[in-house]
Amino acid sequence: MRKAFHDELAQLCSQLAEMCALAVSAMQRANQALLDSDLSLAEQVIADHEHIAAYNRRIEESAFRLLVLQQPVAGELRTVVGSMHIAADIDRMGALAVHVADISRLRHPECALPDEVRASFTDMGAQAVRLAQTAQEVLVSRDPDAAARLRDEDDAVDAEHRHLFTLLLDRQWEDGVCSAVDVALLGRYYERFADHAVEIGKRVIFEATGGRPLHKKLA
Amino acid sequence: MRKAFHDELAQLCSQLAEMCALAVSAMQRANQALLDSDLSLAEQVIADHEHIAAYNRRIEESAFRLLVLQQPVAGELRTVVGSMHIAADIDRMGALAVHVADISRLRHPECALPDEVRASFTDMGAQAVRLAQTAQEVLVSRDPDAAARLRDEDDAVDAEHRHLFTLLLDRQWEDGVCSAVDVALLGRYYERFADHAVEIGKRVIFEATGGRPLHKKLA
């Protein structure tokens, strides 16, 4: 019974890492689609979200089954409960990548990004993808120190996000209202995507240490 | 033991309803602060978020304690696990009300809202508050039919949100880029606030019926 339990728990953790890999890929492609106004890539991201949503359902069902059949305690209980929270975070990351893809699709064949913010989105995209990759690694290693570093990586996204608003608001923006609205919403999507990766790190720390989970910053 | 368990479970459910009442009040005041450029009201909403965050921590701790000590199954397990998800949703609702308050505070003594969108935000604010109130009632009644109605109420918010983007994008917006960015982000905050209320309804339906939780729409 315990052996079966540990196998199921290990499988739950692998599923989370696989699900996170899908979110990495979704953001990578959404960002590329945005930079290149690549309609078919954007549509792929949108269509593929179903795989992420399916993982979310499966993980929630597996976690429930483990709670009912195995009644885990202590660290194992934290892992099972945490897996549901983490799956919800990854699901949101996927949804935010879809939002990025949606804006590229809506503006196609135009590019949603004016030239002056291309560099910002190139950087924010790379940073967001890196955060999701770190989250994925942390879901495998369960290393609380690596998980804690997600917060530092997020600072770079926040800095770029603030810089974006400086461009939008503090100087003469010449690309019109529609473009400003797109850029503001896109910035918000990248920032929230990164926040969810940080949340995953906090959950892993909580599971590893049993410490109270640090609660969300107000983002 | 079972009596103590049921008392604790009932207390967990009351705490959720109390927490939701705080989110109702936060959005009510944030919306008022936005419409009236009321700085002190906005600051109150921001400061008061700590109470919502404290409820989130307490509910998560209580739920863990119940899982460890009582090892609930079936409907009771769904209620305990669901309470953590619902608390996370209410926490986000509070955070989104804070974002609305933040924008009023940043623009004070100016009003963040140009005249042409005042009516939209009056409506969306009232709709968002009503959704949160319905969610609060549903957390007490645990009535799946009432919970299902949250989805219909949300349609009104989505319609108003779409109308807002029509105003922003489809005609000559004369209030400048800064204002357009504020309005776009504000619209997003109200829409997400309402989505979380709908999620609460879905959780209550899941807990009451044991059916698979309907998963999030891509918002």
Side-chain angles (χ1 to χ4, degrees), chain B residues 149-165:
Chain B
R149 279 198 296 276
L150 279 159
R151 192 142 209 175
D152 303 327
E153 290 185 28
D154 184 43
D155 288 345
V157 177
D158 286 344
E160 195 59 56
H161 188 232
R162 278 194 301 277
H163 172 65
L164 197 62
F165 275 78

PDB file of all heavy atoms in Angstrom, chain B residues 149-165:
ATOM      1  N   ARG B 149     -26.302  30.490 -10.796  1.00  0.00           N
ATOM      2  CA  ARG B 149     -26.750  31.803 -11.301  1.00  0.00           C
ATOM      3  C   ARG B 149     -25.613  32.825 -11.364  1.00  0.00           C
ATOM      4  O   ARG B 149     -25.720  33.826 -12.082  1.00  0.00           O
ATOM      5  CB  ARG B 149     -27.903  32.338 -10.440  1.00  0.00           C
ATOM      6  CG  ARG B 149     -29.257  31.726 -10.840  1.00  0.00           C
ATOM      7  CD  ARG B 149     -30.419  32.554 -10.304  1.00  0.00           C
ATOM      8  NE  ARG B 149     -30.471  32.572  -8.845  1.00  0.00           N
ATOM      9  CZ  ARG B 149     -31.038  31.616  -8.098  1.00  0.00           C
ATOM     10  NH1 ARG B 149     -31.598  30.576  -8.664  1.00  0.00           N
ATOM     11  NH2 ARG B 149     -31.055  31.718  -6.780  1.00  0.00           N
ATOM     12  N   LEU B 150     -24.533  32.561 -10.616  1.00  0.00           N
ATOM     13  CA  LEU B 150     -23.385  33.480 -10.671  1.00  0.00           C
ATOM     14  C   LEU B 150     -22.875  33.626 -12.099  1.00  0.00           C
ATOM     15  O   LEU B 150     -22.412  34.691 -12.505  1.00  0.00           O
ATOM     16  CB  LEU B 150     -22.260  32.977  -9.757  1.00  0.00           C
ATOM     17  CG  LEU B 150     -22.445  33.322  -8.277  1.00  0.00           C
ATOM     18  CD1 LEU B 150     -21.615  32.397  -7.398  1.00  0.00           C
ATOM     19  CD2 LEU B 150     -22.041  34.777  -8.023  1.00  0.00           C
ATOM     20  N   ARG B 151     -22.936  32.555 -12.838  1.00  0.00           N
ATOM     21  CA  ARG B 151     -22.459  32.594 -14.222  1.00  0.00           C
ATOM     22  C   ARG B 151     -23.266  33.578 -15.068  1.00  0.00           C
ATOM     23  O   ARG B 151     -22.712  34.308 -15.884  1.00  0.00           O
ATOM     24  CB  ARG B 151     -22.545  31.177 -14.799  1.00  0.00           C
ATOM     25  CG  ARG B 151     -21.828  31.052 -16.092  1.00  0.00           C
ATOM     26  CD  ARG B 151     -21.117  29.733 -16.205  1.00  0.00           C
ATOM     27  NE  ARG B 151     -19.943  29.871 -17.040  1.00  0.00           N
ATOM     28  CZ  ARG B 151     -19.068  28.905 -17.256  1.00  0.00           C
ATOM     29  NH1 ARG B 151     -19.209  27.747 -16.670  1.00  0.00           N
ATOM     30  NH2 ARG B 151     -18.043  29.105 -18.037  1.00  0.00           N
ATOM     31  N   ASP B 152     -24.595  33.567 -14.852  1.00  0.00           N
ATOM     32  CA  ASP B 152     -25.441  34.508 -15.607  1.00  0.00           C
ATOM     33  C   ASP B 152     -25.145  35.947 -15.195  1.00  0.00           C
ATOM     34  O   ASP B 152     -25.100  36.850 -16.026  1.00  0.00           O
ATOM     35  CB  ASP B 152     -26.929  34.213 -15.362  1.00  0.00           C
ATOM     36  CG  ASP B 152     -27.280  32.773 -15.730  1.00  0.00           C
ATOM     37  OD1 ASP B 152     -26.664  32.255 -16.677  1.00  0.00           O
ATOM     38  OD2 ASP B 152     -28.151  32.185 -15.058  1.00  0.00           O
ATOM     39  N   GLU B 153     -24.978  36.134 -13.876  1.00  0.00           N
ATOM     40  CA  GLU B 153     -24.669  37.491 -13.416  1.00  0.00           C
ATOM     41  C   GLU B 153     -23.353  37.974 -14.033  1.00  0.00           C
ATOM     42  O   GLU B 153     -23.182  39.148 -14.339  1.00  0.00           O
ATOM     43  CB  GLU B 153     -24.569  37.534 -11.879  1.00  0.00           C
ATOM     44  CG  GLU B 153     -25.905  37.352 -11.172  1.00  0.00           C
ATOM     45  CD  GLU B 153     -25.780  37.523  -9.648  1.00  0.00           C
ATOM     46  OE1 GLU B 153     -24.893  38.260  -9.179  1.00  0.00           O
ATOM     47  OE2 GLU B 153     -26.592  36.902  -8.933  1.00  0.00           O
ATOM     48  N   ASP B 154     -22.417  37.037 -14.206  1.00  0.00           N
ATOM     49  CA  ASP B 154     -21.123  37.409 -14.774  1.00  0.00           C
ATOM     50  C   ASP B 154     -21.255  37.854 -16.226  1.00  0.00           C
ATOM     51  O   ASP B 154     -20.463  38.678 -16.706  1.00  0.00           O
ATOM     52  CB  ASP B 154     -20.160  36.223 -14.661  1.00  0.00           C
ATOM     53  CG  ASP B 154     -18.751  36.568 -15.136  1.00  0.00           C
ATOM     54  OD1 ASP B 154     -18.260  37.667 -14.787  1.00  0.00           O
ATOM     55  OD2 ASP B 154     -18.136  35.758 -15.850  1.00  0.00           O
ATOM     56  N   ASP B 155     -22.250  37.329 -16.930  1.00  0.00           N
ATOM     57  CA  ASP B 155     -22.426  37.724 -18.331  1.00  0.00           C
ATOM     58  C   ASP B 155     -22.617  39.232 -18.461  1.00  0.00           C
ATOM     59  O   ASP B 155     -22.171  39.844 -19.434  1.00  0.00           O
ATOM     60  CB  ASP B 155     -23.637  36.993 -18.946  1.00  0.00           C
ATOM     61  CG  ASP B 155     -23.336  35.507 -19.161  1.00  0.00           C
ATOM     62  OD1 ASP B 155     -22.152  35.127 -19.120  1.00  0.00           O
ATOM     63  OD2 ASP B 155     -24.305  34.738 -19.336  1.00  0.00           O
ATOM     64  N   ALA B 156     -23.298  39.824 -17.475  1.00  0.00           N
ATOM     65  CA  ALA B 156     -23.524  41.273 -17.516  1.00  0.00           C
ATOM     66  C   ALA B 156     -22.191  42.017 -17.393  1.00  0.00           C
ATOM     67  O   ALA B 156     -21.966  43.029 -18.071  1.00  0.00           O
ATOM     68  CB  ALA B 156     -24.479  41.682 -16.392  1.00  0.00           C
ATOM     69  N   VAL B 157     -21.315  41.506 -16.529  1.00  0.00           N
ATOM     70  CA  VAL B 157     -20.000  42.163 -16.381  1.00  0.00           C
ATOM     71  C   VAL B 157     -19.211  42.026 -17.678  1.00  0.00           C
ATOM     72  O   VAL B 157     -18.602  42.995 -18.157  1.00  0.00           O
ATOM     73  CB  VAL B 157     -19.199  41.536 -15.210  1.00  0.00           C
ATOM     74  CG1 VAL B 157     -17.811  42.169 -15.104  1.00  0.00           C
ATOM     75  CG2 VAL B 157     -19.953  41.698 -13.889  1.00  0.00           C
ATOM     76  N   ASP B 158     -19.236  40.834 -18.274  1.00  0.00           N
ATOM     77  CA  ASP B 158     -18.508  40.631 -19.525  1.00  0.00           C
ATOM     78  C   ASP B 158     -19.040  41.547 -20.630  1.00  0.00           C
ATOM     79  O   ASP B 158     -18.265  42.091 -21.417  1.00  0.00           O
ATOM     80  CB  ASP B 158     -18.613  39.162 -19.971  1.00  0.00           C
ATOM     81  CG  ASP B 158     -17.735  38.259 -19.111  1.00  0.00           C
ATOM     82  OD1 ASP B 158     -16.850  38.778 -18.406  1.00  0.00           O
ATOM     83  OD2 ASP B 158     -17.948  37.033 -19.144  1.00  0.00           O
ATOM     84  N   ALA B 159     -20.364  41.712 -20.675  1.00  0.00           N
ATOM     85  CA  ALA B 159     -20.954  42.569 -21.703  1.00  0.00           C
ATOM     86  C   ALA B 159     -20.501  44.022 -21.505  1.00  0.00           C
ATOM     87  O   ALA B 159     -20.125  44.715 -22.449  1.00  0.00           O
ATOM     88  CB  ALA B 159     -22.482  42.470 -21.661  1.00  0.00           C
ATOM     89  N   GLU B 160     -20.507  44.462 -20.252  1.00  0.00           N
ATOM     90  CA  GLU B 160     -20.090  45.838 -19.955  1.00  0.00           C
ATOM     91  C   GLU B 160     -18.598  46.007 -20.275  1.00  0.00           C
ATOM     92  O   GLU B 160     -18.172  47.060 -20.771  1.00  0.00           O
ATOM     93  CB  GLU B 160     -20.361  46.150 -18.478  1.00  0.00           C
ATOM     94  CG  GLU B 160     -20.307  47.618 -18.118  1.00  0.00           C
ATOM     95  CD  GLU B 160     -21.308  48.472 -18.898  1.00  0.00           C
ATOM     96  OE1 GLU B 160     -22.509  48.164 -18.849  1.00  0.00           O
ATOM     97  OE2 GLU B 160     -20.862  49.436 -19.569  1.00  0.00           O
ATOM     98  N   HIS B 161     -17.823  44.977 -19.992  1.00  0.00           N
ATOM     99  CA  HIS B 161     -16.382  45.012 -20.260  1.00  0.00           C
ATOM    100  C   HIS B 161     -16.125  45.132 -21.770  1.00  0.00           C
ATOM    101  O   HIS B 161     -15.270  45.911 -22.207  1.00  0.00           O
ATOM    102  CB  HIS B 161     -15.749  43.722 -19.692  1.00  0.00           C
ATOM    103  CG  HIS B 161     -14.255  43.716 -19.727  1.00  0.00           C
ATOM    104  ND1 HIS B 161     -13.527  42.693 -20.277  1.00  0.00           N
ATOM    105  CD2 HIS B 161     -13.335  44.609 -19.286  1.00  0.00           C
ATOM    106  CE1 HIS B 161     -12.236  42.964 -20.179  1.00  0.00           C
ATOM    107  NE2 HIS B 161     -12.087  44.109 -19.573  1.00  0.00           N
ATOM    108  N   ARG B 162     -16.892  44.389 -22.551  1.00  0.00           N
ATOM    109  CA  ARG B 162     -16.740  44.488 -24.009  1.00  0.00           C
ATOM    110  C   ARG B 162     -17.131  45.878 -24.497  1.00  0.00           C
ATOM    111  O   ARG B 162     -16.458  46.461 -25.344  1.00  0.00           O
ATOM    112  CB  ARG B 162     -17.613  43.439 -24.716  1.00  0.00           C
ATOM    113  CG  ARG B 162     -16.973  42.056 -24.768  1.00  0.00           C
ATOM    114  CD  ARG B 162     -17.714  41.148 -25.757  1.00  0.00           C
ATOM    115  NE  ARG B 162     -19.114  40.982 -25.406  1.00  0.00           N
ATOM    116  CZ  ARG B 162     -19.572  40.099 -24.507  1.00  0.00           C
ATOM    117  NH1 ARG B 162     -18.730  39.297 -23.879  1.00  0.00           N
ATOM    118  NH2 ARG B 162     -20.855  40.016 -24.250  1.00  0.00           N
ATOM    119  N   HIS B 163     -18.217  46.406 -23.914  1.00  0.00           N
ATOM    120  CA  HIS B 163     -18.672  47.742 -24.292  1.00  0.00           C
ATOM    121  C   HIS B 163     -17.578  48.783 -24.007  1.00  0.00           C
ATOM    122  O   HIS B 163     -17.351  49.709 -24.803  1.00  0.00           O
ATOM    123  CB  HIS B 163     -19.952  48.077 -23.516  1.00  0.00           C
ATOM    124  CG  HIS B 163     -20.403  49.487 -23.673  1.00  0.00           C
ATOM    125  ND1 HIS B 163     -20.820  50.005 -24.878  1.00  0.00           N
ATOM    126  CD2 HIS B 163     -20.489  50.509 -22.784  1.00  0.00           C
ATOM    127  CE1 HIS B 163     -21.146  51.273 -24.719  1.00  0.00           C
ATOM    128  NE2 HIS B 163     -20.951  51.611 -23.465  1.00  0.00           N
ATOM    129  N   LEU B 164     -16.898  48.604 -22.888  1.00  0.00           N
ATOM    130  CA  LEU B 164     -15.811  49.513 -22.502  1.00  0.00           C
ATOM    131  C   LEU B 164     -14.722  49.525 -23.572  1.00  0.00           C
ATOM    132  O   LEU B 164     -14.211  50.589 -23.949  1.00  0.00           O
ATOM    133  CB  LEU B 164     -15.222  48.996 -21.184  1.00  0.00           C
ATOM    134  CG  LEU B 164     -14.375  49.941 -20.373  1.00  0.00           C
ATOM    135  CD1 LEU B 164     -15.189  51.142 -19.928  1.00  0.00           C
ATOM    136  CD2 LEU B 164     -13.840  49.199 -19.131  1.00  0.00           C
ATOM    137  N   PHE B 165     -14.384  48.348 -24.090  1.00  0.00           N
ATOM    138  CA  PHE B 165     -13.357  48.288 -25.119  1.00  0.00           C
ATOM    139  C   PHE B 165     -13.844  48.891 -26.430  1.00  0.00           C
ATOM    140  O   PHE B 165     -13.041  49.428 -27.194  1.00  0.00           O
ATOM    141  CB  PHE B 165     -12.828  46.854 -25.282  1.00  0.00           C
ATOM    142  CG  PHE B 165     -11.741  46.591 -24.289  1.00  0.00           C
ATOM    143  CD1 PHE B 165     -12.056  46.311 -22.961  1.00  0.00           C
ATOM    144  CD2 PHE B 165     -10.405  46.713 -24.634  1.00  0.00           C
ATOM    145  CE1 PHE B 165     -11.057  46.127 -22.009  1.00  0.00           C
ATOM    146  CE2 PHE B 165      -9.398  46.531 -23.694  1.00  0.00           C
ATOM    147  CZ  PHE B 165      -9.730  46.230 -22.384  1.00  0.00           C
TER     148      PHE B 165
END
